[in-house]
Amino acid sequence: SWKFAAVLILLIGLHLFLYLFTEWKGYVPLEEWLDGQRIYRERIDAYQELPIQEAYEQAQTDREEARTVEDWRVYEALEQCVKQLESLAGWEKYLEGVQDSADRVLQFSIFQDSGGYTYKNTIKTAREYEALHDISLVLGHDTALTSIIQSVVTDYMLVLWMLLFVISFLQERRRGLWAMIYAAPRGRSRLGLRRIGVLFVAAISGTFLLVGGGFLVGCAIYGIPEMDRAVLSIPLLQGITQEWSVGSFIWVYFLTKGLAVFMMGLFLDRKST
């Protein structure tokens, strides 16, 4: 019905507003906050032209200068750049630390059983991270992606999105159609399959509309992530051992998120019936 469609559109608009508000936090005027994000984008563009270590050192110098003159908008933007560059500059040491940790674990006799889970897991982890030494990390605009991944508001809105569809399934009860449908030949199976199909479409579309909408707003604020970079270039995602690009990760993330939302919808439908 048009009322149901209007509620879904309202939910999308509410999500975009709450996502923007949680990113902004309201501590400073919105114009000043957006100006700070513009400075961040410009600084990232400038530091991309330098080698990682040199960019890290330059960002630290620029941050101290901004603090000296008390230019806090520039300082906060540079602080964010320094955190990103610090993770990239310390990547090799991080990989060496993983190998050292694996060697130390295997020195204990209780972990030296070649058939044991801990032994196999330690060896597997060390091998996977050892293969990452040849990957070149590149600084880029990460915040649009990391913000939507960590957005609690988006997760709550996805739950509400699926709950609306589950509630709509109860309409036949209120209209007195429940007994008629279930008494019809193959009524249960057909109704069940149709519900599963509706929930699947709702989950995938809801994920792309809500998560995708928030991601696009983040791109407008923080800058568009460079899709051809190694996903390990994003500090939040450096635990991934697959050699994915940022673009590949985004597709995997959206599809995985959609399937998770679908499973949640099945759970909610089960509980409602």
Side-chain angles (χ1 to χ4, degrees), residues 19-62:
Y19 167 76
L20 177 60
F21 185 80
T22 54
E23 290 297 301
W24 168 35
K25 298 182 177 64
Y27 297 144
V28 297
L30 180 60
E31 295 79 5
E32 291 186 14
W33 179 75
L34 291 174
D35 189 52
Q37 305 314 313
R38 177 189 59 78
I39 296 171
Y40 162 74
R41 295 195 305 269
E42 292 174 352
R43 293 287 179 160
I44 288 292
D45 291 337
Y47 294 139
Q48 281 180 327
E49 303 298 325
L50 303 175
I52 294 297
Q53 188 61 42
E54 183 179 344
Y56 178 46
E57 295 171 358
Q58 183 63 50
Q60 288 179 306
T61 302
D62 294 340

Side-chain angles (χ1 to χ4, degrees), residues 23 26 28 66 89 114 128 138 150 153 173 221-222 234 236 254 259:
E23 290 297 301
V28 297
S114 60
E128 288 180 347
V138 179
Q150 297 176 302
V153 168
R173 280 188 177 182
I221 298 172
Y222 302 113
I234 301 177
L236 180 67
F254 270 73
L259 291 176

Side-chain angles (χ1 to χ4, degrees), residues 149-259:
I149 290 176
Q150 297 176 302
S151 175
V152 177
V153 168
T154 302
D155 292 336
Y156 281 127
M157 287 298 170
L158 284 170
V159 174
L160 184 55
W161 176 276
M162 295 306 296
L163 191 59
L164 288 173
F165 281 89
V166 171
I167 292 175
S168 71
F169 291 157
L170 302 179
Q171 291 295 324
E172 64 258 24
R173 280 188 177 182
R174 289 195 290 269
R175 294 173 181 173
L177 300 177
W178 186 266
M180 181 184 300
I181 294 174
Y182 269 46
R186 294 183 292 178
R188 285 177 178 266
S189 60
R190 288 186 176 181
L191 181 62
L193 290 175
R194 177 169 292 184
R195 281 186 171 183
I196 291 174
V198 169
L199 288 176
F200 180 78
V201 173
I204 298 299
S205 61
T207 300
F208 276 85
L209 289 172
L210 294 176
V211 181
F215 177 63
L216 291 177
V217 172
C219 289
I221 298 172
Y222 302 113
I224 302 173
E226 296 79 0
M227 299 299 176
D228 57 343
R229 288 186 301 150
V231 71
L232 295 170
S233 298
I234 301 177
L236 180 67
L237 304 176
Q238 287 185 343
I240 296 175
T241 55
Q242 285 78 12
E243 298 182 19
W244 290 341
S245 66
V246 173
S248 298
F249 171 80
I250 290 175
W251 278 109
V252 172
Y253 174 75
F254 270 73
L255 293 175
T256 304
K257 188 84 169 181
L259 291 176

Side-chain angles (χ1 to χ4, degrees), residues 6-22:
V7 171
L8 295 181
I9 294 173
L10 180 63
L11 184 62
I12 294 172
L14 179 63
H15 167 255
L16 294 178
F17 170 77
L18 292 177
Y19 167 76
L20 177 60
F21 185 80
T22 54

